[in-house]
Amino acid sequence: MRLRNLLLFTALAVLLPREAMAHIEITSHTTRYGVGVQKAPPCGLLGGAGPGDTVYTYAPGQTITLSWHEFIDHPGHYRVAFDDAGDDGFADPASAADLFNNATVMLDGIADESDVHDYEVELTLPDVECEACTIQILQVMTDKPPFGDGNDMYYHCIDVRLVADGGDGDGDGDPGDGDGDGDGDPTGDGDGDGDGDPAGDGDGDGDGETGSGEPPIAEDDSGGCTIGKPRSLTALPLALLMLGALRRRRA
């Protein structure tokens, strides 16, 4: 009986979802700290400093697309802000109704849709040049009173630089592993000549090699909701075979 219970426990442990801290994931860009780091202003990690490993290059005044996926639904809204000198210009709203509360805010009051949802907005970047600029995407929630206790907002930042000859959306240090000619991910760190679409498809003859490695996903132990991601189902047939063998042995 003990062996049977152990086998059942092992199978369930493999199949049950693991917890991963997340509410939204930025899908158009690689963020500074990854999906699970989002609880502390201004960019998700307490005491963190930018820029991160991935920096996107655009032209001043260029319009880009930002998109994200909400894993866990909360009523409220989203805000997009831009700081042309690091990230110290961002300011949290004093209340859920405090829209456009300082000069860095470019889009505000983007309504949360019911249930989990995909979002997409167009952002026209400021007509300035900067080497260490930051785009902040802020989720403001209204179902966690009292507002202002540190549990009402989630923060994600995208590191960018604006230069006059930019505009192809190149980002250094994008995850991935590959080299060669033809279609390449413009968010990689390549030496090619190809022009790329900031959304991801680049035409190129570049003989460059993209960066390798996944962006870090760190768990924040300061509370918040969790979401389960299913594990591989390959353990289920193995567990069933083990149980069958045990039953034949006992017979």
Side-chain angles (χ1 to χ4, degrees), residues 53-235:
D53 294 333
T54 302
V55 180
Y56 294 88
T57 301
Y58 297 109
Q62 183 176 346
T63 298
I64 65 172
T65 300
L66 301 175
S67 58
W68 60 92
H69 175 71
E70 183 182 33
F71 287 108
I72 298 177
D73 182 44
H74 288 284
H77 67 270
Y78 298 92
R79 186 187 84 173
V80 179
F82 182 92
D83 190 338
D84 63 5
D87 55 28
D88 58 354
F90 301 128
D92 286 351
S95 70
D98 186 19
L99 305 180
F100 295 97
N101 66 325
N102 80 346
T104 67
V105 182
M106 304 193 71
L107 303 172
D108 210 342
I110 304 167
D112 179 82
E113 303 287 345
S114 60
D115 299 326
V116 296
H117 200 77
D118 290 308
Y119 297 84
E120 183 176 293
V121 296
E122 299 294 311
L123 175 68
T124 299
L125 299 168
D127 193 14
V128 298
E129 291 193 61
C130 54
E131 285 293 328
C133 341
T134 308
I135 298 171
Q136 181 199 61
I137 299 178
L138 179 69
Q139 181 183 21
V140 180
M141 296 167 285
T142 57
D143 60 344
K144 297 184 174 186
F147 194 92
D149 63 354
N151 199 32
D152 308 292
M153 287 168 275
Y154 290 112
Y155 309 82
H156 292 275
C157 286
I158 300 165
D159 293 303
V160 300
R161 57 191 292 266
L162 303 186
V163 295
D165 58 350
D168 57 3
D170 287 341
D172 295 331
D174 179 73
D177 188 11
D179 55 55
D181 303 329
D183 293 335
D185 189 338
T187 55
D189 186 5
D191 299 322
D193 301 324
D195 292 330
D197 186 328
D201 248 345
D203 292 329
D205 299 323
D207 192 12
E209 182 171 317
T210 59
S212 59
E214 293 288 339
I217 298 179
E219 290 194 358
D220 188 336
D221 59 3
S222 58
C225 303
T226 60
I227 177 172
K229 294 187 177 180
R231 294 189 178 183
S232 171
L233 297 180
T234 56

